[in-house]
Amino acid sequence: MANDGVNEPADAGRRRFLGATTAVVGAVGAGFAAVPFIKSWNPSARAKLAGAPVVADIGALQEGQRLIVEWRGQPIWIVKRSKAILDALPTLDPRLRDPESENKDQQPDYVLASEPEYRSIRPEISVLVGLCTHLGCSPEMVAEIRPEPYDPQWKGGYFCPCHKSRFDMAGRVFQGVPAPTNLLVPPHHYRDENTLVIGVDPAAGAAAKGGA
């Protein structure tokens, strides 16, 4: 299966996943305004339930924006990270529970092949399952690099207001919070520069493309 080795979070998180299956919210950098809706291509409801891949057009995704699509009933966050965010990630390692993503169940191996702290195929594009690994709540994206009440050294990331778990902008969990593991990275690959496919690993995607 395309998602072998990557656990799925608790179904309880679906209670927190409200609204449309696709939306763009959040920003990276102080003063970044709300951004307009960005369309994504999705399969039929029946195909979603069967676990079919989801294809997302990220061509219009700007730095600091987050695109949300649904795959297997879970919110998938696609975020275009800034250079400042990428530069901050390695500095957070001493504060994280699993900074090198040694728990292999939380992401496919290929997202650690280049820059492990990014947990992504392309450094600037983060792809995460948007459900807290504690009880399946959906954390808030708080991407600005600035002090926050819950962390005066905040470098951007995800904060779960339900039980105060915190994750950095690569989905790595902080020490001393209820969440036990990093956010999941789903199987995915890039069909081309602007097309992201959720649910299929790069090798399988290349094989399918070659057989077309």
Side-chain angles (χ1 to χ4, degrees), residues 5-200:
V6 180
N7 291 338
E8 295 185 12
D11 290 340
R14 297 197 65 187
R15 296 196 300 269
R16 301 283 179 178
F17 182 37
L18 306 177
T21 58
T22 304
V24 175
V25 293
V28 173
F32 205 107
V35 291
F37 179 91
I38 295 179
K39 184 178 180 181
S40 175
W41 313 324
N42 286 298
S44 67
R46 180 175 296 179
K48 289 178 186 176
L49 291 175
V54 172
V55 180
D57 181 356
I58 62 170
L61 194 64
Q62 300 297 310
E63 186 176 286
Q65 290 183 344
R66 174 172 59 167
L67 173 64
I68 303 177
V69 300
E70 183 180 357
W71 174 69
R72 294 191 171 184
Q74 305 167 77
I76 305 299
W77 296 342
I78 305 167
V79 177
K80 189 166 187 178
R81 298 177 292 199
S82 68
K83 183 178 184 303
I85 288 293
L86 294 176
D87 289 345
L89 289 175
T91 71
L92 294 170
D93 286 7
R95 305 182 62 201
L96 304 175
R97 179 169 291 169
D98 184 13
E100 297 182 2
S101 301
E102 294 181 355
N103 186 334
K104 300 302 182 183
D105 292 336
Q106 301 309 113
Q107 66 282 309
D109 289 342
Y110 51 80
V111 302
L112 304 177
S114 178
E115 310 287 345
E117 63 269 25
Y118 298 159
R119 302 181 77 219
S120 60
I121 297 174
R122 287 165 51 178
E124 74 278 14
I125 303 295
S126 173
V127 183
L128 298 168
V129 176
L131 297 176
C132 180
T133 55
H134 177 220
L135 293 177
C137 303
S138 188
E140 299 175 352
M141 178 172 160
V142 187
E144 294 84 356
I145 300 177
R146 67 184 185 192
E148 294 290 346
Y150 46 81
D151 190 339
Q153 302 178 59
W154 189 247
K155 302 296 184 182
Y158 304 98
F159 175 68
C160 187
C162 302
H163 304 99
K164 315 305 181 187
S165 290
R166 290 172 288 137
F167 306 85
D168 71 3
M169 287 300 292
R172 299 179 298 173
V173 67
F174 279 74
Q175 297 176 12
V177 301
T181 58
N182 297 339
L183 296 178
L184 296 176
V185 178
H188 64 281
H189 73 279
Y190 293 89
R191 181 177 295 172
D192 54 46
E193 181 68 17
N194 296 322
T195 308
L196 178 65
V197 182
I198 310 295
V200 178

